[in-house]
Amino acid sequence: MALTWALVVLSLLPLLDAQSPACPNFSVPITNASLDQISGKWFYIASAYHLPEYKKEASEFHASFFYFTPNHMEDRIQLREYTTMRGQCMYNSTNLRVNRENATLTKHENGTDHFGHLLLPKDPKTFMLAFFPEDKQKMGLSFFADKPEVTPEQMEEFYDYLTCMGMDKSEVLYSDEEKVEACTPACRSPCCNPSTHARMDDGTWCGSPA
């Protein structure tokens, strides 16, 4: 009887492996090819956070799109971001520091460094950022794509990564794709649009809240 039970269990192992979500590798170094892959325009799709301050900010997001312009020599990425948040259209421009060996992007904001582990799924039209992946109380995962709408397969890959980290689909907050274009700038400078509340490269603001 014991032998029969063991054989049944062994026969199920391939099936269980096939059904298990693919766990992300948080230690894959960032290369120039990685930076080239995430260069260009991206849309925020969804996120889930355990850290209260991240969760609160994500809950106030309606939509966001941004541009990544990597600098290979300086290991930096210029970020130009347009966000619809709390009923306002906001523009922010800053630089992210690339930490190649530990595969993280660092954003310095309000005197604090925020680290995100860069995850490149099989689909090159998406990427993710994981936060505090080893800390159950603080962990988070955000999902980005090159279009405001994603395919079911792309979404499922995000869910798989989320599950593997120990988070649940019920924790996910989603972008409102209908509000993406509401924050499209009328010209290259956000100050051209008086309804845009924008922060410039030097930290000053122009425009007025909507």
Side-chain angles (χ1 to χ4, degrees):
M1 180 67 78
L3 179 59
T4 302
W5 177 85
L7 289 173
V8 170
V9 170
L10 288 173
S11 68
L12 287 174
L13 284 178
L15 179 60
L16 292 173
D17 287 342
Q19 293 176 338
S20 299
C23 292
N25 186 342
F26 301 110
S27 58
V28 177
I30 295 175
T31 64
N32 284 349
S34 307
L35 295 177
D36 290 341
Q37 185 172 329
I38 62 172
S39 176
K41 185 177 182 178
W42 297 93
F43 294 85
Y44 163 71
I45 303 299
S47 62
Y49 299 106
H50 283 178
L51 189 66
E53 62 182 275
Y54 285 10
K55 187 174 183 178
K56 180 179 183 298
E57 183 170 338
S59 69
E60 297 172 343
F61 264 56
H62 296 304
S64 177
F65 67 90
F66 56 90
Y67 298 87
F68 271 169
T69 307
N71 184 316
H72 294 176
M73 297 297 293
E74 297 183 5
D75 282 344
R76 292 187 180 277
I77 299 175
Q78 182 191 34
L79 166 67
R80 292 177 292 128
E81 184 177 24
Y82 299 86
T83 303
T84 306
M85 185 176 183
R86 295 191 296 270
Q88 299 177 356
C89 181
M90 307 175 75
Y91 169 82
N92 180 40
S93 176
T94 189
N95 284 296
L96 308 180
R97 189 168 70 250
V98 178
N99 307 285
R100 290 178 181 259
E101 293 304 314
N102 62 10
T104 61
L105 304 181
T106 306
K107 182 179 182 180
H108 186 80
E109 189 173 50
N110 299 324
T112 302
D113 284 335
H114 302 274
F115 298 89
H117 293 260
L118 178 62
L119 304 176
L120 299 178
K122 295 178 181 178
D123 190 334
K125 296 182 179 180
T126 67
F127 78 91
M128 304 180 206
L129 289 175
F131 303 87
F132 307 102
E134 308 300 329
D135 191 332
K136 281 282 187 182
Q137 303 301 316
K138 296 181 178 180
M139 65 172 46
L141 185 67
S142 53
F143 180 40
F144 309 93
D146 65 350
K147 296 180 180 179
E149 298 181 17
V150 295
T151 65
E153 293 76 17
Q154 290 171 330
M155 203 73 221
E156 196 59 39
E157 193 163 23
F158 169 64
Y159 290 146
D160 284 347
Y161 276 37
L162 195 74
T163 301
C164 197
M165 288 178 64
M167 304 180 76
D168 191 82
K169 284 173 34 172
S170 63
E171 302 177 69
V172 177
L173 299 169
Y174 300 90
S175 170
D176 184 349
E177 62 187 57
E178 294 183 356
K179 296 186 177 180
V180 169
E181 295 304 323
C183 212
T184 301
C187 63
R188 291 185 179 274
S189 169
C191 287
C192 297
N193 185 351
S195 65
T196 299
H197 196 208
R199 183 166 60 187
M200 306 305 290
D201 293 347
D202 60 2
T204 60
W205 292 81
C206 69
S208 58

